[in-house]
Amino acid sequence: MEIMPIEKLSINFKTLEDFKSFKEYGNQELQMLDDLKGSIVENDCKHSPFYGIYYGNKLVARMSLYHTDKKFDYLFDEKRDYLFLSKLEVLPQYRERGFGKNLIEFAKSFNLPIITSPRINSEGFWNRMGFMPFTPITDMPEKLLVWYPDHLTENKIN
């Protein structure tokens, strides 16, 4: 497993160009590009939810990580802060090197529950990363998985 530094991605046109290499791997990435374009217009650089791993000067893995304050929580019985991890992707030629795992471990370092909606055929990966099925209190159209930090292991409220 290669360990590469995880960078908070600046919201600028270079990052937008870097994301275009991911676009061809599925329509879900179009939303991420739209998110980024909207942020460029707003010039919201310090609040970027995008993180990535560069191999040399090429962005090879990325994710979107949004923090939800407990006052806006509509998923848990007992209101709490949590992270929503989405659009995790590693370019095909860079898979099986631990980049996805590195991004997940980085997200776990915030020590908050993490919710994700797994892509088709990716549940095995998420299970290996310690995620389990999650049933929110609000009906959601997609399947969700959750990871809890150790300090919440005895308080796993769905």
Side-chain angles (χ1 to χ4, degrees), residues 11-108:
I11 300 175
N12 57 33
F13 288 101
K14 181 195 178 307
T15 304
L16 181 60
E17 284 301 311
D18 288 343
F19 280 8
K20 287 182 180 177
S21 63
F22 291 88
K23 181 180 175 183
E24 66 191 60
Y25 297 105
N27 288 332
Q28 292 176 333
E29 280 60 53
L30 294 175
Q31 175 66 39
M32 193 169 196
L33 288 171
D34 289 341
D35 289 351
L36 183 62
K37 284 180 188 174
S39 295
I40 289 172
V41 171
E42 296 168 18
N43 199 24
D44 187 12
C45 294
K46 62 184 171 189
H47 296 102
S48 171
F50 308 113
Y51 295 86
I53 297 175
Y54 283 89
Y55 194 83
N57 62 357
K58 182 173 181 63
L59 182 65
V60 299
R62 54 63 190 284
M63 72 176 168
S64 178
L65 195 60
Y66 290 93
H67 175 261
T68 298
D69 187 278
K70 67 181 174 183
K71 66 184 172 188
F72 300 110
D73 174 17
Y74 60 92
L75 298 177
F76 291 92
D77 259 344
E78 186 177 306
K79 301 267 185 225
R80 62 182 68 208
D81 286 9
Y82 67 91
L83 299 174
F84 190 85
L85 190 157
S86 64
K87 299 167 186 88
L88 175 71
E89 184 175 8
V90 178
L91 293 176
Q93 63 271 34
Y94 294 92
R95 292 184 184 155
E96 305 299 326
R97 297 186 187 187
F99 296 138
K101 180 180 179 182
N102 288 350
L103 286 169
I104 301 243
E105 293 301 323
F106 174 80
K108 288 178 176 180

